[in-house]
Amino acid sequence: MKTAFFSLLLASASAFAPSSTSSQRAASVSLNAEEMSKSIPFLVRPEKLDGSMPGDMGFDPMRLSDIQADLKYARWAELKHGRMCMVAVVGSLVQQAGIHFPGDAYTNKDIFGAPSTVGWGVNVQVFLGIAFAELAAFNLHYGEGEPGDLGLDGGQLKGMTPEKKFWRQESEIVHCRLAMIAFSGLMVQTLLYGPVV
């Protein structure tokens, strides 16, 4: 029994013994040829995530950027969903706090039950508003312009240096990502525990 235990101990210790120098050198050369991600330092940075887009830290553990033909479309989608989540989080908190339009149909504080109490007409208006916004910006996703630029900045970005503009765009994408996480957390918490306000 003791010899079996000792042989198992010796075998497991050999797993930590250094391997041959040639295989270490080959692995070292292959790792040095590829840059590591800023966000997850032990993963290799995907080729398309070169840091040229605002908010790009090389975070793509599932390597989805490898199957994307153009990352501008993915950035448009990320910005659009992030902006919607910013509005949705604020709207949900305002509704749960009891601030609403006048009328009995709008007094429901339950964010999941409210669409059924406002009636069919209001839901159609919301759907048509979303459809109009989607159709108005549909061709912008595939153009040569800057992702997320709807031309609604009021001229504030025109006088900025490229570094300051990049910093503003990076701030927006960070806030969009935070809003998407906050929206997911708000929905889960509301489903599990009820209103958060």
Side-chain angles (χ1 to χ4, degrees):
M1 182 69 171
K2 289 180 182 179
T3 55
F5 179 74
F6 183 72
S7 63
L8 286 175
L9 188 63
L10 187 62
S12 64
S14 67
F16 297 102
S19 60
S20 67
T21 328
S22 61
S23 65
Q24 283 182 348
R25 188 175 302 127
S28 172
V29 169
S30 68
L31 282 178
N32 288 337
E34 295 179 338
E35 187 179 336
M36 303 309 275
S37 171
K38 289 181 189 176
S39 60
I40 305 177
F42 56 86
L43 290 181
V44 176
R45 177 187 59 82
E47 181 182 341
K48 291 182 183 176
L49 299 179
D50 56 0
S52 61
M53 295 180 87
D56 177 13
M57 299 295 171
F59 181 77
D60 189 10
M62 293 176 32
R63 307 291 288 198
L64 295 175
S65 62
D66 293 342
I67 59 173
Q68 289 278 338
D70 184 15
L71 286 183
K72 285 188 174 185
Y73 180 79
R75 178 52 55 98
W76 265 103
E78 187 178 18
L79 284 167
K80 180 170 59 172
H81 288 97
R83 290 169 179 170
M84 287 190 297
C85 284
M86 284 190 248
V87 172
V89 167
V90 172
S92 297
L93 294 176
V94 165
Q95 180 182 0
Q96 290 180 9
I99 303 168
H100 53 80
F101 290 120
D104 291 336
Y106 304 106
T107 58
N108 190 351
K109 291 184 179 183
D110 179 21
I111 58 176
F112 297 110
S116 64
T117 59
V118 294
W120 187 79
V122 175
N123 288 316
V124 169
Q125 286 177 349
V126 169
F127 176 74
L128 289 176
I130 292 170
F132 176 75
E134 286 290 325
L135 290 174
F138 178 73
N139 290 333
L140 297 175
H141 293 82
Y142 302 104
E144 287 297 317
E146 189 73 31
D149 184 14
L150 298 172
L152 302 174
D153 64 348
Q156 294 179 7
L157 297 177
K158 296 206 186 303
M160 290 187 183
T161 64
E163 294 83 19
K164 186 143 181 129
K165 186 177 179 182
F166 189 85
W167 183 81
R168 290 276 177 107
Q169 291 170 335
E170 195 163 76
S171 296
E172 180 185 23
I173 196 68
V174 167
H175 288 106
C176 285
R177 291 170 181 164
L178 180 61
M180 288 187 271
I181 293 169
F183 179 76
S184 300
L186 178 71
M187 293 299 109
V188 168
Q189 183 173 345
T190 303
L191 282 171
L192 293 177
Y193 305 112
V196 296
V197 177

